[in-house]
Each structure stands twice: as structure tokens, then as C-alpha cells.
Amino acid sequence: MSTNPLIILVVDDEPLQAEIHTIFLEEAGYETMYAEDGVEALSILRHSGIPISVILSDVLMPNMDGHELCKQVKEDESIKEIPFIFVSALVDIDEKIKGYSAGGDDYVSKPISTDVLLEKVKRAVKQHGDNLSNKETLKESYNAAMQAMTYSSDLGQIIEFYKNSLNAHSFDELGQHLFQVMASYGLRSTLYIVTTTTKN
């Protein structure tokens, strides 16, 4: 059974570094896209329609750096679920805190260990898939609950009408109960009652 390719967006203003990432990722079976800065990356994410699985971004870039890119991604409802991994030679704790504060999901330090990079990407891909699956399950559960509530509400009205009809003391009262039920469904109705008498 075929599956959709897992696409990693590599964002780096250094083409050689981006090429190294791309080689590692494609050898591991991923497809890649490349953006040279945050502005180009945002354009791809928002307008290309390509299902990106993970964003792998440098921090220091012209036009829009990695922190600002991450912040804008996480503020955009349509793309905020995509895992964001920072790749940077800036390894001090303050820099990492800044990255996580911007919304980053993980951090890879340069010089890069191929095994570490691929493991973090693999984990991020799984996280993304699990998030999408959970959202779909939640949506299905919500729809099922709404259907059950609608059915329960409809059944309750029918049972209530049946009880009221049994306790009606006149045809007028019976008619009122019927009109109330029909009106609750947005229906207009006419009631015509025919009675018969039995002669002894």
C-alpha cells in the first residue's frame, strides 16, 4: 500500500549546509524542500499546498531569522502543528531557551551528528502523525457525539409527545401537542380529525 512521502522543509541561508541536510534526509527516505530564509519558508508553508511534515531551520538568517519564522508558524492555525526543529551552532542555554520560547519543538546543535539529526526528525515525524491522527479521532468522536445528542433529542421529543397525547383531555389539546412537535422541526402542519360513533 502506497503512502504519501514525508517532506522535510530545510531552511538555511548557507546552500552547502542545506545540501548536507538534504543528502542525509534523502538517504533516509525523506523528500526535502529548500528555503534560504524565513520569508521564503513562510511562503512555501502558506501558499504551496505541499504537506510539510517537519521544519528544519537555521537560527541566524537574513530577512527573517529562525526565531521569527518559528513564532509566525506557531501563530498560524493552518501550519502550527508542523514540528519545528532548530539547527544552530549557538548552543548556550539562553539561546536554546529563546528557541523553545518561540515555539520550537526540538534543537540540534552544530556540528551535526547525522544519527542525532535523523533520530530527532524521525521522532518529530511520528509526533506530527500522532497529532493529526488524534485530531481526526477527536473530530470523529465529536461528530458521533453530536449525532447521538441529536438522536437523543429527537427521541425525547417523540416520547414526550406520546406521553402528552395519552394524557390529552380533548382533540384541541392533542392538536396543540402535535403542532408543538412539528414546529420544533421547522414544519408547518394541519390536523384533520375524523371521529365515528358506534350505535348500539
Side-chain angles (χ1 to χ4, degrees):
M1 187 170 84
S2 63
T3 58
N4 293 328
L6 300 173
I7 304 173
I8 313 302
L9 177 60
V10 178
V11 190
D12 200 310
D13 63 320
E14 298 181 14
L16 179 59
Q17 187 65 61
E19 181 65 22
I20 293 172
H21 296 338
T22 297
I23 291 171
F24 291 156
L25 292 167
E26 292 185 351
E27 285 182 351
Y30 300 105
E31 292 190 9
T32 61
M33 290 195 68
Y34 170 67
E36 64 181 12
D37 58 33
V39 175
E40 185 180 358
L42 269 183
S43 180
I44 292 171
L45 291 163
R46 288 173 171 166
H47 307 301
S48 70
I50 296 171
I52 301 297
S53 296
V54 177
I55 301 165
L56 199 63
S57 176
D58 190 16
V59 174
L60 299 178
M61 297 180 291
N63 300 320
M64 181 186 293
D65 66 19
H67 292 144
E68 182 60 25
L69 170 61
C70 184
K71 181 180 177 183
Q72 293 207 32
V73 167
K74 297 305 179 179
E75 289 176 349
D76 189 322
E77 287 294 325
S78 65
I79 55 177
K80 70 177 186 179
E81 298 295 336
I82 302 175
F84 197 108
I85 301 176
F86 286 106
V87 181
S88 179
L90 304 175
V91 296
D92 62 88
I93 189 65
D94 290 338
E95 175 61 29
K96 290 187 176 182
I97 289 174
K98 187 176 180 180
Y100 288 123
S101 297
D105 297 284
D106 212 334
Y107 205 103
V108 178
S109 301
K110 296 179 182 178
I112 292 172
S113 162
T114 305
D115 291 340
V116 171
L117 175 66
L118 294 179
E119 180 59 32
K120 286 180 179 283
V121 168
K122 179 181 177 181
R123 187 163 49 196
V125 165
K126 183 178 184 305
Q127 171 195 332
H128 189 219
D130 289 346
N131 288 344
L132 293 179
S133 178
N134 290 339
K135 286 183 68 175
E136 187 62 28
T137 299
L138 194 60
K139 181 179 178 181
E140 291 174 357
S141 299
Y142 174 80
N143 290 338
M146 292 303 295
Q147 289 178 358
M149 289 174 65
T150 300
Y151 174 77
S152 176
S153 176
D154 291 345
L155 184 60
Q157 290 190 64
I158 293 171
I159 292 173
E160 189 66 20
F161 168 71
Y162 177 71
K163 288 165 55 179
N164 290 335
S165 66
L166 292 178
N167 295 323
H169 298 294
S170 67
F171 290 129
D172 286 342
E173 187 178 346
L174 177 62
Q176 289 301 317
H177 292 316
L178 176 63
F179 294 147
Q180 288 175 1
V181 172
M182 299 299 282
S184 69
Y185 292 104
L187 301 173
R188 299 177 64 183
S189 58
T190 300
L191 176 64
Y192 181 69
I193 299 176
V194 177
T195 63
T196 59
T197 58
T198 304
K199 295 183 178 179
N200 292 328

